[in-house]
Amino acid sequence: MFLTNLSLKRPVFATVTVLALLAVGIISYIGLNINDYPEVEFPYVVVTVVQPGASPEQVESKIVSKLEEAIGQISGVKHIYATAREGVATVFAEFSLETSPEVAAQDVRDKIGTIRGELPQDIEEPIIARFDPSAMPIASLAVTGSLSQRELTTVVEDLIKRRLETVNGVGAIDIYGDVKREIHLQLDKYKLAAYGLTTAEVINSLRSENMEVPGGKVGNGDREMTLRTVGSINRVEEFANLPVARRDGVQLYVKDIATVVDGVEETDSLSRYQGKPAIGIDIIKQSGANTVEVADRIKAVLAEVKQELPPGVQLEMVRDNSVYIRDAVKDVRNTLIEGSVLAVLTVFIFLRDWRSTLIGALAIPTSIIATFFAMKVLGFTLNFMSLMALSLAVGLLIDDAIVVIENIVRHLRLGKSPLEAARDGTGELGLAVTATTLTVVAVFLPVGMMTGIVGQFFKQFGLTVVFSVLVSLFVAFTLVPMLASRCLKEEEHLPGGPVGKFLKWFNRGFDKITAFYADFLKVVLRNRKKTLGIALLLFLGSLMLIPLLGSTFVPSSDIGELYVVADLDAGLGMAAAGQVTAEMEKVLQGFPEVTKLYTTVTNERANIFVKLVDKHHRDKTIDRLAMDMRHQLNAIPGVKVTVNQQAGMSDGAAIQFRLLGDDLDQLQVYAEQAQKIMESIPGTVDVSGSYKPGKPEGQVQIKRDVAADLGVSTASVADTLRTLFNGVVVSQYEEGEERFDVRVRLAEDHRRNLADLSNIYLPGAQGLVPLSQVSETVFATSPSQINRFDRTKEIVLSCNTDGSISMGEFNKIFKERVAKEMNLPPGYSFYEGGDAERMGETFTAMLLALVTAVLFIFFILAAQFESYIDPFSIMLSLPMAVVGAILALLTVGSDLSIMSMIGIIMLMGLVTKNAILLIDFTKQERARGVERNEALRKAALTRLRPIVMTSTAMILGMLPLALALGPGAEGRAPMAHAIIGGLITSTLLTLVVVPVIYTILDDLKAKTTALKHRFMQAGDGA
């Protein structure tokens, strides 16, 4: 081996090369960001258009449909999601991942620009922005105190928000429950009627006042002076003296027809903390920023801000994602260290020499530290995926070094000098070790190249493993033989005392097992058909157990947080919503496990963040607590509750189905049927639909003929009603550097119910006309929200499971029952969404990655053995790994998920590693003239120790991960379960099945060669 010979001849060169890798690794580690998940750029664009007062149906027909049509023409659009609410249209465009987010946003901006003229004239300018679905708040704050909500809002806006905006890494700040100042001119409809004033007249007059307008310049050439017309109001009371009109030569002022109130805007959100009114602040970090560092900076600023708060005001950090990230990253690091220690102890027990153990153990820190350099170059961060890759690779990293150092020690025991043993021992295994490492690369490279959103997250996982094992191979061929030649002694030094006795006892026992295995192999080779039959039965039996395994996307994790989402009754005011929320909080506060409650209420929905005590300090599991909360909360009238827990990046309902169609009324009928099916499936909880019953609506229908005769237009009616009941901003009031809206509308006691539509007058051709003369009022309902998906209406049905049924089982039952019990006509269909859609896409991508891995394993083996047949002796042993993986998942109760699938893919590489060592030695012995079965027996005697060493090191390295003791570790544990179970069975079965398959294929090859030779002889004879 070139690298080995070079490092033996030039040890300083080898040492400084490794030291250089360590140096750049340490420097890179210091600069790596720490986040929960990899930073992924999503090509999502959101378009928001506001049309004050428009109904959801109007928003859908006049705005949403036109936006969808325009966006749908853009290249690369994958899905279009749209929502039409009262006065607001929101359209999300999801592009294929290959599309640049910047290009996607610009394409949407250009397309919307071309249809701007087709949209209603009274809309606000469309807001087009990139949308990051992973941009969740990294911290939430609650401001409470004895001050009024308006005074608290001033503190938040002027002090807290301004200081937070200066923090490096803070991207956006969302505020809930704030009460903003607004100047109200509250009209008296009776006085308007008495003076014969119309709203249009009042509005136009007020818009002509309270102004400050530049007037140009005056100058004589040498000097010039700017002119400015100043008519702005300096005190709120002065609004009362603004002129509005003249009647019979008398000037009328605002004070004659309205009351001036220094008030607040209508609240569109509420916030509560620990059951008390509060102002909530959600902080979202900039894309690519270090979550932990940003959170630390926020805490430092908050410590300063608290010193400046007025007396009686409290500022609390309710939610801090950096704590969980820090704890979880620390847990993965501890897992990595614990696994490394266990792996090194395993090597020590087998090698019985601290020198050789230390030499082999050096591969772990060297490979991990050097990997940080690759992570930095590739733009990776320290997150769950990359750190999990390193903890998973602990057993792999020491594998190459174990095999090499064990073989060097074996050659040393044969009487060779340390230098000869290092050169010969490494050279003998060079090709085999290279092949074993390349098979692992062949397994994880496709994982790192998976497509789809989930593939983007696993990119860092797969490539981190690939680089770390390549470094470990380099270390095994350079540092390990070089140190072995310098540090190992020819005579064996066993430790004394109890440790020495244990090592002697263990190795004597292992030697007996090795001898038994060699003898057992003779029996197996005499009964090849029976051996293969048993192995086949085990494999088929394990496949039959797969239906017993549930399937889910990402296993849920207990991080001590729950998210309660409550859909409130349609038409409920903010005050009433606050009362209902208070009842819910009272229920939740009755649980001793609850430490914090943080509530936000928006758009007829309440969101409650529930912080629990650490899982080690409570008796109930998070699933049990969620179930108990669900039962008690759903007993509150007028509330439909969903209790979610975080699974991966999602904190919403795990199961979603989209019901698509054109007729919303018909969709509602089908949705109710589907919802009943969903509720009847055992194990289903939190069943809900996105369709809400219509909000009560009073429709003012114009009598066209009467209105035309009296000279009243529909626009005049609409403008008058919108001014009186919705209000119109006529100007702004400046106080210092702040500006506040001045809104004109009816006084509050004149707009309580539909009876207040009386005594409202409209401008007509012959004077004022009563509204009641040209219209009639009809009671109706309108949907509070219309959802659309890919340019058709949709109702989303969602639910969770209580753990007794998996997502895969539920999906199968639900789809079968829908097909059987619901005869959906053409134009109506169900579409899987949420985790179910992602699970299907991911499992397909993983299956492709698995096939690719197996294909490249074959290529590597064929290249190594220079044979197309010999690789099959190893390839046919791959199914043996599946047996243990399925049994292990069943035993511990884990579902088949994205994590366990990664574990199974990894097993393909691990099984191959063991088989390569066995077959490679066999072929070397046969090349020396040893008979086939004897060569296999010698290979068994020689290679059993490194095979068992590497497998045991890998299993023990995975053990801390499998125990799932840290926060959120349950989500990572299924990977370790699959690997440990698969390694145990595959190691045992590989040692038996691989030699059998090898002999059968060798016989087949011999027969084929003989047959070919006979044909050639027959051809020559002819």
Side-chain angles (χ1 to χ4, degrees):
M1 293 293 292
F2 170 74
L3 283 175
T4 303
N5 291 332
L6 183 65
S7 62
L8 290 174
K9 288 176 184 175
R10 303 186 64 184
V12 175
F13 173 77
T15 306
V16 295
T17 303
V18 173
L19 287 175
L21 283 173
L22 290 173
V24 295
I26 292 169
I27 293 167
S28 300
Y29 173 78
I30 295 168
L32 286 174
N33 283 348
I34 301 175
N35 284 315
D36 45 2
Y37 288 96
E39 290 284 346
V40 177
E41 280 201 326
F42 293 94
Y44 282 29
V45 180
V46 59
V47 181
T48 307
V49 179
V50 175
Q51 185 184 19
S55 69
E57 291 103 328
Q58 289 174 315
V59 170
E60 182 194 26
S61 61
K62 295 180 180 179
I63 302 175
V64 170
S65 59
K66 287 183 170 61
L67 293 177
E68 287 178 334
E69 185 178 353
I71 293 171
Q73 298 170 17
I74 300 172
S75 173
V77 172
K78 184 180 176 185
H79 293 302
I80 300 175
Y81 309 84
T83 305
R85 296 197 308 273
E86 186 176 348
V88 183
T90 310
V91 180
F92 293 91
E94 178 188 350
F95 288 77
S96 58
L97 282 173
E98 295 76 30
T99 309
S100 164
E102 292 84 3
V103 172
Q106 189 57 50
D107 286 348
V108 171
R109 201 170 283 115
D110 293 343
K111 209 68 182 176
I112 299 301
T114 62
I115 64 154
R116 178 63 182 85
E118 299 175 27
L119 299 175
Q121 295 302 308
D122 59 340
I123 65 168
E124 296 179 11
E125 198 59 32
I127 299 170
I128 302 162
R130 286 169 53 188
F131 174 71
D132 184 359
S134 66
M136 304 298 289
I138 63 165
S140 296
L141 314 175
V143 182
T144 56
S146 54
L147 303 182
S148 67
Q149 288 294 98
R150 177 170 160 178
E151 290 170 320
L152 283 177
T153 300
T154 303
V155 173
V156 169
E157 291 283 349
D158 295 349
L159 175 62
I160 301 172
K161 184 182 177 184
R162 286 186 180 179
R163 295 290 286 277
L164 288 173
E165 285 173 337
T166 63
V167 175
N168 186 22
V170 169
I173 297 174
D174 295 333
I175 299 177
Y176 300 93
D178 56 332
V179 179
K180 294 180 181 177
R181 185 182 180 189
E182 189 174 70
I183 311 303
H184 293 161
L185 307 184
Q186 298 182 344
L187 299 173
D188 185 322
K189 65 179 180 179
Y190 299 110
K191 290 183 178 179
L192 285 174
Y195 288 120
L197 289 173
T198 65
T199 56
E201 197 173 356
V202 173
I203 296 300
N204 290 334
S205 179
L206 290 174
R207 280 178 173 161
S208 303
E209 302 293 336
N210 188 30
M211 300 171 71
E212 190 172 320
V213 184
K217 297 176 183 178
V218 295
N220 57 9
D222 296 329
R223 285 177 171 276
E224 66 176 29
M225 183 184 297
T226 59
L227 297 177
R228 184 176 297 277
T229 305
V230 179
S232 56
I233 288 176
N234 299 317
R235 292 185 301 114
V236 174
E237 295 79 14
E238 292 179 17
F239 280 102
N241 297 320
L242 289 179
V244 289
R246 297 183 72 87
R247 286 293 183 269
D248 300 326
V250 178
Q251 180 66 56
L252 298 176
Y253 298 94
V254 168
K255 61 186 177 185
D256 298 320
I257 59 167
T259 306
V260 179
V261 177
D262 190 350
V264 295
E265 291 182 6
E266 281 192 354
T267 55
D268 57 0
S269 67
L270 291 176
S271 181
R272 297 170 64 84
Y273 176 59
Q274 302 295 61
K276 296 177 183 177
I279 294 180
I281 305 172
D282 283 351
I283 304 170
I284 300 168
K285 73 178 181 68
Q286 291 174 348
S287 179
N290 186 326
T291 303
V292 174
E293 283 185 8
V294 173
D296 287 343
R297 292 189 203 114
I298 290 170
K299 289 175 196 169
V301 168
L302 292 182
E304 296 173 6
V305 169
K306 285 180 181 179
Q307 306 298 320
E308 304 172 36
L309 291 174
V313 177
Q314 291 84 41
L315 174 60
E316 296 282 338
M317 184 171 268
V318 182
R319 174 170 48 194
D320 180 5
N321 282 7
S322 71
V323 173
Y324 164 57
I325 293 171
R326 212 187 292 267
D327 290 345
V329 167
K330 183 181 175 183
D331 176 61
V332 177
R333 282 177 183 161
N334 291 342
T335 301
L336 201 155
I337 293 166
E338 290 159 5
S340 301
V341 170
L342 288 171
V344 170
L345 283 175
T346 305
V347 177
F348 178 65
I349 290 170
F350 277 95
L351 293 181
R352 299 170 294 179
D353 179 47
W354 66 268
R355 291 186 184 88
S356 53
T357 302
L358 273 180
I359 292 169
L362 280 173
I364 295 177
T366 306
S367 303
I368 289 173
I369 293 171
T371 303
F372 293 140
F373 172 63
M375 291 171 64
K376 183 69 176 176
V377 170
L378 294 170
F380 294 175
T381 61
L382 287 175
N383 54 67
F384 300 154
M385 303 306 292
S386 57
L387 283 171
M388 188 169 60
L390 291 175
S391 63
L392 192 69
V394 162
L396 291 171
L397 299 181
I398 202 172
D399 265 13
D400 294 339
I402 286 175
V403 173
V404 170
I405 197 71
E406 191 275 338
N407 208 41
I408 291 172
V409 170
R410 186 175 66 84
H411 278 267
L412 200 63
R413 301 289 175 261
L414 295 175
K416 295 181 180 180
S417 68
L419 184 64
E420 289 176 329
R423 186 175 56 249
D424 296 346
T426 309
E428 184 179 77
L429 283 170
L431 203 56
V433 170
T434 304
T436 57
T437 302
L438 289 178
T439 56
V440 173
V441 171
V443 165
F444 281 98
L445 199 55
V447 171
M449 306 298 284
M450 283 196 308
T451 56
I453 290 175
V454 177
Q456 295 296 302
F457 286 94
F458 273 92
K459 177 182 179 182
Q460 295 200 17
F461 176 86
L463 296 183
T464 300
V465 174
V466 166
F467 192 81
S468 62
V469 296
L470 287 175
V471 174
S472 75
L473 177 66
F474 176 77
V475 170
F477 283 162
T478 55
L479 193 65
V480 170
M482 188 273 290
L483 289 176
S485 68
R486 296 292 189 277
C487 303
L488 293 186
K489 306 297 180 185
E490 295 182 22
E491 64 279 0
E492 189 174 7
H493 289 283
L494 289 175
V499 175
K501 289 179 181 178
F502 170 75
L503 293 177
K504 285 180 183 177
W505 170 82
F506 177 83
N507 281 278
R508 275 201 303 268
F510 190 80
D511 288 340
K512 289 178 182 177
I513 292 171
T514 306
F516 170 77
Y517 167 60
D519 293 335
F520 179 68
L521 195 58
K522 290 181 181 178
V523 178
V524 166
L525 292 173
R526 286 198 298 267
N527 299 274
R528 295 186 299 182
K529 289 182 180 178
K530 290 179 182 177
T531 304
L532 278 183
I534 293 169
L536 189 62
L537 284 174
L538 283 171
F539 176 64
L540 294 175
S542 67
L543 292 182
M544 292 171 70
L545 293 174
I546 289 178
L548 300 178
L549 278 176
S551 61
T552 190
F553 181 50
V554 178
S556 60
S557 305
D558 186 349
I559 63 171
E561 294 177 0
L562 288 171
Y563 301 85
V564 178
V565 181
D567 287 321
L568 308 175
D569 284 342
L572 207 62
M574 273 293 164
Q579 292 173 2
V580 174
T581 307
E583 287 184 56
M584 295 170 59
E585 290 172 335
K586 197 173 290 183
V587 169
L588 293 170
Q589 285 173 331
F591 288 86
E593 296 87 354
V594 173
T595 60
K596 288 181 182 178
L597 291 176
Y598 170 61
T599 305
T600 56
V601 184
T602 55
N603 294 325
E604 299 171 353
R605 171 170 286 196
N607 295 279
I608 305 177
F609 167 74
V610 183
K611 182 67 180 174
L612 307 171
V613 297
D614 187 82
K615 64 181 178 181
H616 300 299
H617 300 146
R618 51 181 152 88
D619 298 326
K620 291 183 180 179
T621 65
I622 198 165
D623 291 323
R624 181 72 257 172
L625 278 171
M627 186 62 71
D628 293 346
M629 289 177 182
R630 198 175 281 123
H631 286 315
Q632 294 189 33
L633 289 171
N634 279 323
I636 299 173
V639 174
K640 182 73 174 175
V641 168
T642 301
V643 182
N644 301 318
Q645 54 179 302
Q646 188 170 2
M649 293 159 293
S650 171
D651 56 11
I655 298 168
Q656 291 182 3
F657 278 88
R658 302 179 184 277
L659 178 58
L660 308 178
D662 290 325
D663 188 335
L664 192 59
D665 294 331
Q666 195 60 47
L667 270 180
Q668 186 186 354
V669 173
Y670 294 136
E672 287 174 359
Q673 294 176 24
Q675 193 165 329
K676 287 177 182 175
I677 294 174
M678 197 175 265
E679 288 170 341
S680 66
I681 298 174
T684 307
V685 294
D686 298 335
V687 178
S688 65
S690 63
Y691 181 84
K692 294 181 181 178
K695 287 181 70 173
E697 182 178 82
Q699 295 181 354
V700 178
Q701 297 185 347
I702 307 299
K703 300 174 183 175
R704 296 186 184 280
D705 295 339
V706 177
D709 291 342
L710 295 172
V712 176
S713 67
T714 303
S716 174
V717 177
D719 288 342
T720 300
L721 290 179
R722 187 170 62 183
T723 300
L724 295 177
F725 291 91
N726 189 53
V728 172
V729 175
V730 291
S731 65
Q732 290 191 313
Y733 170 63
E734 291 188 30
E735 190 173 84
E737 295 181 358
E738 294 184 288
R739 297 165 69 89
F740 306 101
D741 288 341
V742 179
R743 185 178 294 274
V744 176
R745 66 176 167 185
L746 278 179
E748 193 171 349
D749 56 349
H750 287 181
R751 47 187 174 85
R752 295 187 183 279
N753 51 54
L754 290 180
D756 289 325
L757 289 172
S758 62
N759 292 318
I760 289 177
Y761 291 85
L762 309 163
Q766 304 299 322
L768 296 183
V769 178
L771 174 65
S772 57
Q773 193 172 344
V774 295
S775 68
E776 58 182 356
T777 306
V778 177
F779 288 97
T781 59
S782 69
S784 56
Q785 180 171 307
I786 299 173
N787 294 326
R788 293 169 64 86
F789 175 74
D790 284 349
R791 302 175 68 177
T792 184
K793 292 183 179 69
E794 70 161 3
I795 293 178
V796 180
L797 299 175
S798 60
C799 69
N800 290 315
T801 63
D802 62 6
S804 62
I805 184 173
S806 71
M807 183 195 297
E809 292 169 323
F810 171 85
N811 287 348
K812 183 183 176 186
I813 296 169
F814 179 71
K815 286 191 280 190
E816 286 175 354
R817 287 191 56 183
V818 164
K820 185 178 178 182
E821 299 174 27
M822 291 177 63
N823 295 315
L824 292 176
Y828 293 85
S829 61
F830 267 105
Y831 181 91
E832 276 184 307
D835 281 356
E837 180 185 13
R838 287 191 287 269
M839 182 172 75
E841 291 176 354
T842 304
F843 280 14
T844 303
M846 284 193 166
L847 189 62
L848 183 61
L850 182 61
V851 171
T852 307
V854 171
L855 192 63
F856 274 89
I857 287 173
F858 173 78
F859 294 156
I860 292 164
L861 296 176
Q864 184 199 0
F865 296 135
E866 197 58 36
S867 167
Y868 294 114
I869 295 177
D870 287 344
F872 285 105
S873 60
I874 295 169
M875 301 291 291
L876 292 174
S877 68
L878 295 181
M880 298 301 101
V882 178
V883 176
I886 293 171
L887 287 173
L889 292 173
L890 267 176
T891 303
V892 299
S894 288
D895 288 337
L896 191 64
S897 64
I898 188 171
M899 292 300 176
S900 52
M901 285 282 285
I902 287 289
I904 291 170
I905 290 174
M906 183 176 178
L907 282 171
M908 300 299 104
L910 298 178
V911 175
T912 310
K913 284 172 77 84
N914 294 337
I916 287 173
L917 291 176
L918 207 60
I919 298 303
D920 181 69
F921 192 88
T922 302
K923 290 179 75 69
Q924 286 183 21
E925 289 298 302
R926 290 188 70 185
R928 296 189 184 103
V930 180
E931 188 268 331
R932 184 186 67 191
N933 284 12
E934 179 59 23
L936 281 167
R937 196 184 73 82
K938 287 185 73 174
L941 284 167
T942 309
R943 290 287 177 253
L944 182 65
R945 184 177 289 268
I947 286 173
V948 174
M949 277 171 68
T950 55
S951 297
T952 308
M954 189 71 202
I955 290 168
L956 292 177
M958 287 285 98
L959 200 57
L961 191 62
L963 294 174
L965 299 175
E970 299 89 348
R972 303 184 288 273
M975 184 185 294
H977 297 155
I979 290 171
I980 290 173
L983 268 176
I984 292 170
T985 58
S986 67
T987 302
L988 295 173
L989 291 172
T990 299
L991 291 169
V992 174
V993 174
V994 168
V996 169
I997 296 174
Y998 176 75
T999 57
I1000 291 172
L1001 290 174
D1002 189 60
D1003 289 344
L1004 184 66
K1005 190 160 61 171
K1007 288 179 182 177
T1008 306
T1009 305
L1011 197 63
K1012 186 178 176 182
H1013 186 64
R1014 194 179 305 162
F1015 274 120
M1016 288 176 67
Q1017 284 183 334
D1020 291 341

